[in-house]
Amino acid sequence: TNATRNRHAPEYELIDTGVFEEGRYFDVFVDYAKERPEEMLIRITAYNRGPAPAELHLLPTLWFRNTWARGEQVAPVMRRVDGVGGSAVVVHATHPELGERWLYAEGDPSLLFTDNETNRLRLWGHANPRPWVKDAFHRYLVGGETNAVNPENIGTKAAAHYRFEVAPGESVTVRLRLSDRMPREYRGRVFGRPFDDVMS
């Protein structure tokens, strides 16, 4: 150990922001497991470490890397799939090179859609080609801008919006599955014991 102090090192003052006072925060753990090469299982668990009930918004998000803005390829697309039934809501993602994928979100979260496009208006004062840009989920949730997300449930970026009230010391868990298998192949059994067995 070098006990000699570096005389050129800057000095920093420790600032207590109070952000962790009384344990008022959430611990969020995300676990991944692969059932098959094209089958990703996702489990998100959030613990309320505070002394009182607290509201929690989880937004597991799927997006395509933007390579189409420079004209390198045709833009991919994500859209909501209705009428699936079972225990999940579904996003169908289609990409010209990667093919088709489905994101299954357990339960009945709201689905939010936008485009993975820079907000030109906010950054440079230039008009956006379409009003749904990559900061839409923040603007929708934090800013209350309901028109920030695409009302047609389509885009190149999608999130499942879970909202919970979590008791002190308690946790909530959501499960998701990203797969190349279409909904009818699961026969309504996207989650359940097989999911938990693979995750274990």
Side-chain angles (χ1 to χ4, degrees), residues 22-27 29 45-56 165-173:
E22 299 180 341
R24 294 182 186 273
Y25 65 94
F26 281 91
D27 267 329
F29 297 90
T45 307
Y47 294 86
N48 178 0
R49 300 301 190 196
E55 185 177 44
L56 174 69
E165 184 78 14
V166 188
E170 297 296 318
S171 67
V172 292
T173 299

Side-chain angles (χ1 to χ4, degrees), residues 112-113 132 136 139-141 143-151:
L112 307 176
F113 289 84
W132 306 291
R139 289 169 37 222
Y140 173 86
L141 188 62
E145 295 180 47
T146 55
N147 62 346
V149 296
N150 190 330

Side-chain angles (χ1 to χ4, degrees), residues 65-177:
R65 179 173 164 258
N66 189 337
T67 57
W68 59 88
R70 296 183 185 94
E72 295 175 27
Q73 66 178 38
V74 176
V77 66
M78 294 181 196
R79 58 176 40 95
R80 180 186 181 106
V81 177
D82 287 320
V84 173
S87 59
V89 296
V90 182
V91 174
H92 180 209
T94 307
H95 189 280
E97 292 177 19
L98 301 175
E100 293 182 295
R101 298 292 186 279
W102 285 264
L103 176 67
Y104 300 89
E106 182 179 31
D108 192 26
S110 302
L111 291 181
L112 307 176
F113 289 84
T114 190
D115 288 324
N116 191 19
E117 298 275 1
T118 299
N119 188 340
R120 299 176 187 182
L121 184 63
R122 184 174 180 186
L123 292 180
W124 306 299
H126 302 163
N128 289 314
R130 289 166 38 102
W132 306 291
V133 290
K134 67 169 58 179
D135 63 352
F137 301 158
H138 175 85
R139 289 169 37 222
Y140 173 86
L141 188 62
V142 177
E145 295 180 47
T146 55
N147 62 346
V149 296
N150 190 330
E152 295 179 4
N153 292 319
I154 191 169
T156 53
K157 183 177 177 183
H161 178 202
Y162 290 93
R163 182 177 177 175
F164 300 104
E165 184 78 14
V166 188
E170 297 296 318
S171 67
V172 292
T173 299
V174 299
R175 299 181 297 181
L176 303 105
R177 182 187 291 263

